[in-house]
Amino acid sequence: MRQFQAAVAAAVLTVAAPAFAADQPSAPPAVTASAPDLSWQDRLERHTGVVDLPQAKARLNLGTDYYYLDAAASRRVLVEGWGNPPDAADGVLGMIFPARFKPLDGPSWGAVITYQDSGYVADKDARDTDYDKLLDDLRQSEPEQNAEREKAGYASLHLVGWAERPTYDAARHAVIWARELKAGNASVDTLNYDIRLLGRKGVLSLNVISSINDLPEVRAAAGHIADQAAFVPGQTYADFHKGQDKMAEYGVAGLIAAGVGAAAAKKLGLLAILVIFLKKGAVVLVAAFGAVAAWFRRTFLGKKDVATQGSKPPSGPDLIS
């Protein structure tokens, strides 16, 4: 994998390097396609410290170790940078990145922030749920879902297991779980790390998408972010008024099932797969949207751009459920 990443870096340098002096021996270029212009990511406005999320009636306290991109900047990262169809960014409030990385740097990862106006989620079932059985139940729908994916021309998606078994922090009213997913024959599995904060009227979701190899770093970062994210006074879990406020139709177990099960798996899951290919060196590509993905396809796989294939791709990943 490191060798593949080195080859990618060398190819990019070959494209970007200025011409040598005329008396230098000429060499055939390693890459004939033009590298995408990613300079726009340097102009994205980064927000640190306290960040308000008015749509969710919540706020983040990121300090200086992480930065926040607003909804418009996040849409550009998701669509232009990570190559998702535009509807994948619908409902995204923003994204969080490690301060030491640009959004499209190879070692970077991003947390997608959304809010579900689902009502108050009761937590009575959090401790009694058998999450291993839940995992087995959710896998039963994989054959049907993967048949649909493969019919559409995309690789199968397999839920390998819990990368982080679901836990519920009753003091913070935070639900955390992580999935390990395998896309087709990819050499590196995907990590999908979920943080859900329960509030008076809904759920704040922070979904980190990266390589399974990043689990230790993402786990540490997720713990920090969960500690520093909170609903504003009057909108916290403790502010719920029974008989007055809306109740969600599910509890904590249902919240996890919705995030792991059919509602999510029926969608393409393209974002997670593209992150592995573009940033972690895996040599499988399910589909390509946007300049970066198309350039990698042309350069390293020798395949036609999806746009020329005449078929409309399925809708984007379910980032909200």
Side-chain angles (χ1 to χ4, degrees):
M1 183 183 303
R2 291 180 181 271
Q3 291 175 344
F4 180 83
Q5 289 176 305
V8 173
V12 173
L13 289 173
T14 301
V15 174
F20 289 102
D23 59 347
Q24 295 293 324
S26 60
V31 178
T32 58
S34 297
D37 180 9
L38 303 180
S39 61
W40 54 265
Q41 66 176 324
D42 296 320
R43 298 188 293 273
L44 298 176
E45 185 176 2
R46 298 184 178 192
H47 303 270
T48 57
V50 177
V51 175
D52 288 324
L53 301 172
Q55 301 95 324
K57 296 181 175 60
R59 62 171 56 102
L60 307 170
N61 189 353
L62 300 178
T64 58
D65 291 334
Y66 305 93
Y67 64 90
Y68 167 85
L69 298 181
D70 65 16
S74 297
R75 173 173 288 275
R76 191 160 192 188
V77 170
L78 290 170
V79 177
E80 293 185 38
W82 286 8
N84 284 275
D87 63 352
D90 292 348
V92 173
L93 305 182
M95 296 181 72
I96 299 171
F97 292 93
R100 66 187 186 279
F101 297 126
K102 299 177 184 179
L104 303 181
D105 283 350
S108 185
W109 51 262
V112 178
I113 306 171
T114 56
Y115 176 71
Q116 297 166 274
D117 186 15
S118 57
Y120 177 88
V121 177
D123 61 359
K124 294 180 180 180
D125 63 343
R127 294 183 178 179
D128 298 331
T129 300
D130 184 341
Y131 292 112
D132 292 329
K133 183 178 183 302
L134 174 62
L135 188 70
D136 291 337
D137 292 342
L138 295 170
R139 283 178 175 149
Q140 293 180 9
S141 60
E142 276 190 5
E144 179 183 353
Q145 294 159 3
N146 282 327
E148 294 177 2
R149 293 169 60 86
E150 291 169 0
K151 184 178 180 180
Y154 300 102
S156 60
L157 194 62
H158 172 59
L159 178 58
V160 176
W162 299 122
E164 187 85 26
R165 199 171 183 276
T167 59
Y168 176 64
D169 186 329
R172 294 183 300 166
H173 305 290
V175 187
I176 295 179
W177 75 89
R179 293 168 280 172
E180 181 177 355
L181 301 166
K182 176 173 286 295
N185 295 319
S187 59
V188 181
D189 289 351
T190 297
L191 171 66
N192 202 313
Y193 203 104
D194 278 278
I195 307 165
R196 306 291 171 97
L197 300 180
L198 310 184
R200 174 182 177 181
K201 297 182 178 180
V203 180
L204 181 67
S205 171
L206 299 98
N207 181 240
V208 181
I209 303 165
S210 191
S211 161
I212 192 64
N213 296 334
D214 295 333
L215 178 58
E217 178 181 353
V218 171
R219 179 190 289 121
H224 173 79
I225 293 171
D227 284 341
Q228 301 303 319
F231 289 95
V232 299
Q235 299 298 322
T236 69
Y237 198 76
D239 292 319
F240 171 72
H241 293 290
K242 188 175 182 180
Q244 176 182 338
D245 293 332
K246 175 184 175 182
M247 290 282 297
E249 297 178 355
Y250 48 81
V252 169
L255 179 70
I256 297 172
V260 179
K266 282 185 178 179
K267 298 248 181 169
L268 177 59
L270 174 64
L271 183 141
I273 297 165
L274 277 180
V275 167
I276 288 182
F277 174 77
L278 295 178
K279 296 165 59 181
K280 305 302 175 185
V283 293
V284 60
L285 182 63
V286 176
F289 302 89
V292 176
W295 179 74
F296 268 81
R297 282 172 61 89
R298 291 194 303 269
T299 302
F300 297 103
L301 299 184
K303 296 182 180 179
K304 294 181 180 180
D305 197 330
V306 164
T308 67
Q309 295 179 354
S311 60
K312 183 179 179 181
S315 58
D318 189 349
L319 300 176
I320 301 176
S321 67

